[in-house]
Each structure stands twice: as C-alpha cells, then as structure tokens.
Amino acid sequence: MKMKKSFIALCLSAGLLVAAPAVSLAAVNIVPQDVSAAPSIPASALQQLHWMPVSPSQTLSSDVSAAGQTLNVAGISGPVMAYSVPANIGELNITLTSKVSNESVYAPNVLVLDQNFTPAAFFPSHFFTYQEPGVMSDNRLEGTMKLTPALGQQKLYLLVFTTQKDLQQTTQMVDPAKAYAKGNGNAVPDIPDPIARHGVTGSLAVKASTSSSSSILVGPLFGSSGPGPVTVGNTAAPAYSAQPAPAAAPVAAPAPAVKSEPMLNDTESYFNQAIKQAVAKGDVDKALKLLDEAERLGSKTARSTFIGSVKGKG
C-alpha cells in the first residue's frame, strides 16, 4: 500500500511539472515558482508580523503608511504588508491592486508562503502591470495570482513589499482625458501623459476568490511530514478597512465621488471644451456624462462650464 501511494504521488508530481510551466507562462512572462530572486527572510522575522486575514469574496483595502509593518531584511525598502488567505476552499485567484495617488504608487512584490512559512512562489513588481483608468477605476498597478493550495494546507501567507530598485523606477500613465476619449470613440487629445513615481507608501487592495484554472501548487503534494501548522503573530484582527465586494449597480447609480486632488490644466481644458461642444450640438446627455467623469477626476470648473453653456444656448 505504501509503495502504491508513493507511485501515485510520483505520477502526480511529474504531471504538475509538465503542466505548470505551460499554464503559468501563458498568463505571465515569469516563473512564479522560482523564489531565488526573492529576499531571504528568517522565520523568526515572519513570526513577528501581524497577518491580516483576507476573506473570500471581500476586498480588503489598506493604506501602507497606516497598516504597514517594519521588516528589517536586506532587499526590502519601507513598510511591508502581510496578509493571510484561507487555503482550504480550493483554488484561488488573488488580485492585488496598487492605486496611483498624487502621481505616486507603491510598486508591489509578493512572496507567497505555505502554512509553514516556506516560500512557494514569488511575483516580482513587473508582474503587476499598469492599468488605464476607467469609469469606476483609477490609474493603478494590478495583477492576479493563481494559486492551488496542496492537500492539508489551511492558510497561505502573502508578504507584499517594495525594493530599492523599484523606488528608482517610475510608471508611465495615460491621462484620464485620453482614456475617456478612447473608451468613447472620440478623438484622443494631444496632451502629455503623467508619470507616477514609485514610493514606500500607497493604497493597496486585495481580493481573493475561488477559481478552477489556478496554476501554481503551494505546499507539499500530500501534506507536510514536518511540523504542523503554526499560529503567527497576534490572532486578533488588526485595524484595517475590510469592505464587502460591491453589489451590482442599480439602474440609477449615484454620481461618483469627486476626487480631492486637482485635475491637470490640460485635462480640465479638454473636458470643458468637450462639454461646450456637446451642449452646442444639443447632446445634453453626453454633456452630463462628461461632467460626471470630469468631476470624478477632480475638475473644479466642469459644472460651471456646463451650466454656463446651457444658459448660453437657452
């Protein structure tokens, strides 16, 4: 019986070695199972961290400057974020989003550890690619990690950090006015694109969901023959902002919140001119949509431009 189990394990392991690279390389141009490029972190240092639990179907949003922790390890710069994810609910899709704010962004690297804090996968910062702003989303770095917990795993751990190399780089963004024009089939304005510098703080969001197409096996195939699961850090839930995933928007959705940071002059001019043209053509619905989008991006003059255009036309 023992020989039979060993033979099955060997066959499954061989199958994983053959199949895994094809799946992971189709999604990204890196090999996440190669953890040699990740910083070497002592287990004692990991045990000092407080791991924030991420529940399935929830989006956990955190400010690195407020919730970040110190980890004095070579190769890591600034605060780190530590998350724990249940590993007994099947295959996982974990999406990490780093929001651009005031033309600054936290460039994340993610080291995935199994329940015994053994490094299992490493996603460097270039895995999290720039995403253009949309109607309900901002400029951001984002990537989805596909993980398959091995049998016997109860938790997976995600250590998020940035490096000195990341801090020396920047991210080329797309001006929101260009993104809006492109998305609506309008002429793309000839205005400069902003550049986001990389910093040691930022705003992160983590969302975990079950998947049927994960590709990275985390943990030993038939459970570990070493020590059992360990409890890491404070088991009490730390202070953080956990928001349930947003429900489907109703037909009459409320106007999006106005951004606090001011809009660039070129972007402001683009939206004001587009509003005037829409009103002049009698397309008030389009003008209202432009007004909503401009105010969401931080415009302070779009509303007065809309009102003045309507009054002038009347």
Side-chain angles (χ1 to χ4, degrees):
M1 180 63 69
K2 184 175 181 180
M3 289 181 63
K4 184 176 182 181
K5 287 184 177 180
S6 299
F7 177 74
I8 294 173
L10 180 61
C11 291
L12 290 174
S13 299
L16 288 168
L17 288 173
V18 171
V23 176
S24 59
L25 289 176
V28 292
N29 195 25
I30 63 172
V31 182
Q33 294 93 331
D34 181 10
V35 298
S36 61
S40 178
I41 306 172
S44 58
L46 294 171
Q47 292 172 359
Q48 299 300 316
L49 297 175
H50 298 285
W51 298 85
M52 294 188 291
V54 180
S55 300
S57 73
Q58 284 190 329
T59 299
L60 175 60
S61 300
S62 307
D63 189 328
V64 177
S65 61
Q69 303 176 66
T70 300
L71 187 60
N72 294 320
V73 172
I76 293 178
S77 297
V80 303
M81 299 294 291
Y83 302 98
S84 67
V85 183
N88 55 358
I89 57 174
E91 299 171 331
L92 296 169
N93 277 350
I94 301 176
T95 300
L96 175 65
T97 302
S98 181
K99 178 183 174 182
V100 177
S101 179
N102 296 322
E103 296 188 3
S104 177
V105 67
Y106 184 93
N109 300 258
V110 178
L111 180 62
V112 181
L113 307 118
D114 69 11
Q115 66 178 8
N116 296 317
F117 290 102
T118 301
F122 177 54
F123 296 85
S125 59
H126 64 263
F127 176 83
F128 302 93
T129 56
Y130 169 71
Q131 303 296 316
E132 295 183 11
V135 176
M136 299 300 293
S137 58
D138 298 288
N139 285 297
R140 64 204 185 278
L141 300 177
E142 189 171 85
T144 297
M145 298 165 281
K146 298 178 181 294
L147 306 174
T148 303
L151 295 176
Q153 296 287 302
Q154 297 301 312
K155 285 186 179 181
L156 303 184
Y157 297 96
L158 309 176
L159 183 68
V160 184
F161 59 90
T162 196
T163 69
Q164 186 60 41
K165 181 181 178 181
D166 294 320
L167 296 177
Q168 296 171 354
Q169 299 175 347
T170 58
T171 293
Q172 178 74 59
M173 300 186 291
V174 174
D175 188 277
K178 286 185 176 180
Y180 182 86
K182 186 191 303 182
N184 286 273
N186 299 332
V188 178
D190 184 17
I191 53 180
D193 288 319
I195 295 177
R197 65 188 184 280
H198 293 179
V200 295
T201 61
S203 178
L204 298 181
V206 180
K207 182 177 182 180
S209 59
T210 56
S211 168
S212 60
S213 59
S214 298
S215 61
I216 300 172
L217 186 69
V218 178
L221 187 61
F222 286 103
S224 174
S225 59
V230 295
T231 302
V232 180
N234 187 356
T235 56
Y240 60 88
S241 171
Q243 299 293 335
V251 175
V258 179
K259 293 172 69 97
S260 58
E261 57 265 26
M263 178 183 280
L264 296 176
N265 290 336
D266 289 336
T267 308
E268 189 101 48
S269 298
Y270 167 78
F271 276 101
N272 286 342
Q273 185 64 28
I275 289 171
K276 291 177 182 177
Q277 292 175 353
V279 173
K281 295 178 180 178
D283 193 347
V284 178
D285 286 341
K286 181 178 180 179
L288 285 170
K289 290 179 181 178
L290 286 164
L291 169 61
D292 289 342
E293 180 68 11
E295 290 190 332
R296 189 185 73 82
L297 295 170
S299 173
K300 304 298 183 184
T301 62
R303 184 167 294 273
S304 59
T305 298
F306 172 78
I307 293 173
S309 300
V310 173
K311 287 182 177 180
K313 186 176 178 62

